[in-house]
């Protein structure tokens, strides 16, 4: 039998590291705190424990429990966690001491964590306070039994990664499969979010019979868009040249014509048509344009001196009447340049489509996926291209009527999104976007048939034989969709369906689309399955197949299905070879699709979705910037293979102009809407994710900060140490009580915490949240509230004093590095597997955490460690 005794050295060190202290924050920089925290790491001292397979049967150590542990728990703990009280809903007198076979191993693990961090018993419970030796005896017994239980649980089937694709994974998979952005999944019900914030948790991702039908309808709609029939459709094309528009407007008596030097004119900082050679200016109205027959799209006429000048926020409005088709992609080409090249100013273009059918009925919808920057000068302008799927956007419902009322026309709006007003000195010319030429065409195809069609209906010598060619099309499609080659019997079944459908439709393609949509609604596509291979069963290896590994890997890093390179390597049995796997992970992280990983993990890890439900955040540009900052920060740490400790504090931030202004960061100056790495001064009060405005905003009450929400968020999301749920019938704070209204927020919290029903939870939560008190409801830094200085000092359960955000960071970096490193491993592994972690996974998590710490905590290295781990490659 192996020796399972937890090293006493580890117990004594850990107690020392978490020991209570009083007074102010330990002096020193946060960088020094990082170094000190590494020196204290048990993982770096070689004290990390690991679980190995036992040589014989495991058995619970009941004798030591009855002799030592049970009496100590009765003496020190049962008073608050026994028949008289059950604080935190834990009755220690009722927990089964057999952790291997009993039902209470997870509850014992919580007891172990609380004792190990000296959170229990409370500091003021002098009657129950155990000696250091007694605590060490309990921790030692629990550590030993938990590790034996972990071995027993590793071979149990109490968890599974078998699950369906999430909505976002489903959309990305269709996008990668079909070659265009898919936005059909809004028809599906929202995901249920697990208690740790993840949307890809296996036990929450099931499908009803009704959902299967929805998946088939979505797949059918997507395949119909991807494929075409018959001859290439004649496009509707509009050409708007300012060299033609300006003379027309100048000839109208109603036009207001000015000269640039006219002292009565203020139009130069307003929207206008302008002849750059003559200086003539005309105030424009919406331009009605008609489609032109047989005009060549994609022209590059000579640059014209006549331009449409768009100042900040101004819109060029083009009335396209009612001629745009219902479906297909509308391609818009705009030739534009900047009026000035001031580096402090940026400008970009945004498209909207609107309609005004009557006095009481109108709409305007942004139809461009993102704003596109204008970077060229007007002397050497650039073409900016937008693609808009017409079937995905709101349209004028009356556009096909024969009568002129309600109005049938649709308006394309080209808007200048810029910062010029804020960054130009008085009297200086503000940046404008100058447009001399616009082309609009729909439906637009780069080639015919389009690539989305030929990727499915590829060239073959068997095209004339529908049965043979259909089997070829189906076989190639299913291999990609199912992430494995289809069996002959499976192809037979689908071709049987094809034979039934074919007589009722006009073409071979129509019939195949029906068949392929059924494949896209099958569990083989919608679910991530794991099966033990014959080779694995023979060799007793608990590993998923190479093809299933390719799927798990691609869903982890791309939120999608494997590409051809991954499939080929998996089919050849080479994907798991260490050098090959390392190269593939690097390739996948360098691919633009890995941005999905950064977005989805950061969003779910930090709970950023909740910002869309925050009503006190009124500025949509600020909301978008807040939502993007943590994603950009995670992505930067990943791309640079930087330390995960940067999430706790960093000397840089990822900012754009809007967010830098919100934070009051003026040096260095940040211009433009794009996020970039910005160095921070020591007094910036930023750095890491703890001070991201998004996290601070979602954890506020709409008017002010909310220490309880912020404390729970820190414990749950960052430290992976969620507090227990509040007990029933918790009294609310009475805001009608004049005595309560006179209190500061901190005094209200202390008053609430002094109530018996609230004390046990709030003593663990509130001090963490109070450390954020210098940040208001929108995450802006402040030093006073209602003309009173902010008090952001608090004492943790261990009597450790936290002095504001810097004190919190200092404490986390010096005393909680191991806990945070392990939390990051747990969070990333749970996300990678798509299931909650269990006691049986703890040995692997310990091992990975030790490896991470030994690699200087680098995030990119952690991804490689996770992918190469037994846990990631194992059969559930």
């Amino acid at each position: 039998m192996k020796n399972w005794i937890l090293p006493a050295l580890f117990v004594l060190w850990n107690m020392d590291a978490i020991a209570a202290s009083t007074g102010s924050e330990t002096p020193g920089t946060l960088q020094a705190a990082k170094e000190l925290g590494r020196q204290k790491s048990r993982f770096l001292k070689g004290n990390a424990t690991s679980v190995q397979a036992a040589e014989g049967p495991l058995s619970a150590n009941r004798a030591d429990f009855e002799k030592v542990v049970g009496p100590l728990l009765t003496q020190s703990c049962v008073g608050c966690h026994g028949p008289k009280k059950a604080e935190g809903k834990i009755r220690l007198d009722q927990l089964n001491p057999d952790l291997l076979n009993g039902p209470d191993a997870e509850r014992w693990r919580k007891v172990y964590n609380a004792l190990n961090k000296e959170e229990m018993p409370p500091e003021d419970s002098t009657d129950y306070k155990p000696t250091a030796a007694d605590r060490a005896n309990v921790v030692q017994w629990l550590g030993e039994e938990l590790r034996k239980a972990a071995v027993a649980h590793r071979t149990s089937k109490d968890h599974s990664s078998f699950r369906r694709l999430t909505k976002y994974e489903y959309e990305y998979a269709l996008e990668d499969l079909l070659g265009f952005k898919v936005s059909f999944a809004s028809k599906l019900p929202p995901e249920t979010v697990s208690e740790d914030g993840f949307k890809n948790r296996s036990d929450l991702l099931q499908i009803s019979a009704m959902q299967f039908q929805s998946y088939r309808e979505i797949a059918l709609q997507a395949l119909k868009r991807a494929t075409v029939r018959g001859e290439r459709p004649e496009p509707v094309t509009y050409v708007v040249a300012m060299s033609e528009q300006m003379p027309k407007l100048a000839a109208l008596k109603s036009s207001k014509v000015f000269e640039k030097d006219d002292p009565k004119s203020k139009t130069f900082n307003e929207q206008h048509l302008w002849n750059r050679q003559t200086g003539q200016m005309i105030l424009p109205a919406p331009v009605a344009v008609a489609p032109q027959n047989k005009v060549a799209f994609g022209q590059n006429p000579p640059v014209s001196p006549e331009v449409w000048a768009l100042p900040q926020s101004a819109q060029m409005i083009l009335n396209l009447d009612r001629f745009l088709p219902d479906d297909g992609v509308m391609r818009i080409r705009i030739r534009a340049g900047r009026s000035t090249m001031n580096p402090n100013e940026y400008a970009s273009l945004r498209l909207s489509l609107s309609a005004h059918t009557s006095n009481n009925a109108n709409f305007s919808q942004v139809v461009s996926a993102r704003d596109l920057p204008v970077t060229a000068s007007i002397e050497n302008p650039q073409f900016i291209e937008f693609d808009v799927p017409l079937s995905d956007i709101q349209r004028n419902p009356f556009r096909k009527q024969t009568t002129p009322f309600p109005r049938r026309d649709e308006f394309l709006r080209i808007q200048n999104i810029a910062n010029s007003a804020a960054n130009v000195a008085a009297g200086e010319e503000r940046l404008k976007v100058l447009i001399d030429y616009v082309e609009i065409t729909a439906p637009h195809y780069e080639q015919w048939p389009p690539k989305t069609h030929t990727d499915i209906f590829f060239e073959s010598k068997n095209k004339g034989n529908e049965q043979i060619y259909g089997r070829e099309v189906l076989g190639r499609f299913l291999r990609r969709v199912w992430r494995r080659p289809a069996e002959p019997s499976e192809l037979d079944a689908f071709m049987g369906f094809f034979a039934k459908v074919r007589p009722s439709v006009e073409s071979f393609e129509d019939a195949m689309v029906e068949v392929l949509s059924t494949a896209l609604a099958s569990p083989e596509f919608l679910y991530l399955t794991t099966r033990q291979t014959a080779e694995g069963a023979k060799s007793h290896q608990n590993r998923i197949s190479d093809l299933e590994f390719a799927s798990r890997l691609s869903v982890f890093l791309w939120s999608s299905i494997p590409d051809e390179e991954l499939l080929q390597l998996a089919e050849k049995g080479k994907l798991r070879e260490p050098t090959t796997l390392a190269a593939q992970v690097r390739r996948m992280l360098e691919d633009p699709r890995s941005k999905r990983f950064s977005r989805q993990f950061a969003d779910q890890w930090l709970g950023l979705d909740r910002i869309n439900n925050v009503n006190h955040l009124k500025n949509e540009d600020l909301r978008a910037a807040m939502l993007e900052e943590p994603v950009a920060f995670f992505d930067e740490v990943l791309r640079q293979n930087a330390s995960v400790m940067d999430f706790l504090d960093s000397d840089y931030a990822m900012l754009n102009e809007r967010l830098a202004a919100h934070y009051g960061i003026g040096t260095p100056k940040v211009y433009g809407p794009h996020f970039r790495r910005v160095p921070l001064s020591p007094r910036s009060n930023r750095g890491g994710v703890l001070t991201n405005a998004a996290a601070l905003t979602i954890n506020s009450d709409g008017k002010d900060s909310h220490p309880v929400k912020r404390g729970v968020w820190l414990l749950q999301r960052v430290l992976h140490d969620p507090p227990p749920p509040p007990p029933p019938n918790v009294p609310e704070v009475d805001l009608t009580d004049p005595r309560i209204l006179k209190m500061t927020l901190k005094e209200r919290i202390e008053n609430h915490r002094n109530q018996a029903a609230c004390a046990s939870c709030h003593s663990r939560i509130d001090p963490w949240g109070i450390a954020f008190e210098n940040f208001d409801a929108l995450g802006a830094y402040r030093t006073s509230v209602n003309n009173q200085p902010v008090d952001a000092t608090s004492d943790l359960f261990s009597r450790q004093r936290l002095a504001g955000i810097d004190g919190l960071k200092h404490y986390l970096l010096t005393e909680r590095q191991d806990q945070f490193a392990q939390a990051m491993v747990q969070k990333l592994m749970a996300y990678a597997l798509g299931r909650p972690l269990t006691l049986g996974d703890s040995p692997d998590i310990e091992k990975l955490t030790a490896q991470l710490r030994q690699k200087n905590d680098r995030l990119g290295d952690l991804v490689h460690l996770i992918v190469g781990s037994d846990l990631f490659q194992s059969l559930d």
Side-chain angles (χ1 to χ4, degrees), residues 269-344:
N269 283 323
E270 298 177 14
Q271 181 177 194
H272 56 278
L273 278 161
W274 175 38
N275 187 315
R276 296 190 299 125
Q277 288 182 348
T278 66
Q280 185 183 58
M281 294 184 292
I282 302 175
L283 294 183
V287 176
V289 291
Q292 299 185 22
N293 295 327
K294 298 181 179 180
V295 64
F297 185 78
Q299 298 182 66
N300 187 18
V303 176
S304 167
E306 293 92 353
V307 294
W308 194 303
L310 284 178
Q312 180 181 4
S313 300
Q315 299 181 25
M316 175 195 291
I317 302 176
L318 302 177
N319 185 350
L320 305 184
D321 209 310
R322 61 193 186 281
F323 302 113
L324 288 176
D326 295 341
D327 301 305
V329 171
M330 175 172 62
R331 167 71 62 87
I332 300 100
R333 295 177 74 235
I334 303 167
R335 189 164 61 186
R338 296 162 56 105
S339 63
T340 69
M341 301 302 289
N342 184 343
N344 296 351

Side-chain angles (χ1 to χ4, degrees), residues 559-740:
S559 301
S560 183
I561 57 178
D563 65 0
E564 183 62 25
E565 187 168 338
L566 284 176
L567 285 177
Q568 286 188 11
L569 288 170
E571 288 171 340
K572 294 174 182 176
K574 295 183 176 181
L575 182 55
R576 279 189 168 105
E577 293 177 357
T579 54
T580 301
L581 181 57
Q584 286 301 305
V585 172
R586 286 194 299 270
R587 177 181 74 88
M588 295 179 74
L589 290 177
E590 291 168 0
D591 190 285
R593 284 171 287 188
S594 67
K595 290 292 183 70
R596 302 167 182 172
F597 166 50
S598 296
R599 180 164 302 284
Q600 293 302 329
F601 179 77
D603 277 353
Q604 295 175 49
W605 168 40
L606 300 174
L608 302 181
D609 274 2
R610 289 187 291 151
I611 202 169
N612 294 318
N613 301 321
V614 172
N615 294 324
H616 64 279
L617 178 53
K618 306 298 183 182
N619 186 295
E620 291 305 315
D621 288 337
L622 180 58
R623 185 192 302 268
M626 285 184 180
L627 193 57
E628 188 64 25
E629 182 192 9
V631 177
F633 191 86
F634 181 90
D635 199 66
E636 176 72 5
V637 175
L638 179 64
R639 305 290 159 204
Q640 301 300 323
N641 197 18
S643 169
V644 298
M645 297 303 155
D646 282 6
F647 293 130
L648 297 182
D649 181 66
S650 63
D651 59 3
Y652 63 93
M654 299 299 292
L655 302 174
N656 69 354
E657 182 175 341
R658 184 64 187 86
L659 204 57
H662 182 65
Y663 289 162
I665 295 176
T667 306
K669 289 287 186 180
V670 179
Y671 299 108
H674 62 285
F675 278 77
R676 82 299 307 264
R677 183 174 175 134
V678 178
L680 296 175
S681 71
R683 299 184 178 277
S684 66
N685 304 303
R686 301 291 166 179
V689 299
L690 304 184
T691 55
N692 281 180
L696 296 164
T697 299
I698 60 179
N699 294 302
S700 62
D701 65 4
K703 295 181 180 179
D704 202 348
S705 62
H706 198 298
V708 177
K709 286 185 178 181
R710 290 175 176 178
V712 169
W713 177 85
L714 175 71
L715 290 167
Q716 184 175 40
R717 304 283 181 162
V718 179
L719 296 178
H720 194 61
D721 188 19
N729 303 318
V730 175
E732 295 286 339
V733 176
D734 184 7
L735 294 180
T736 63
D737 185 338
R739 184 178 61 89
I740 297 292

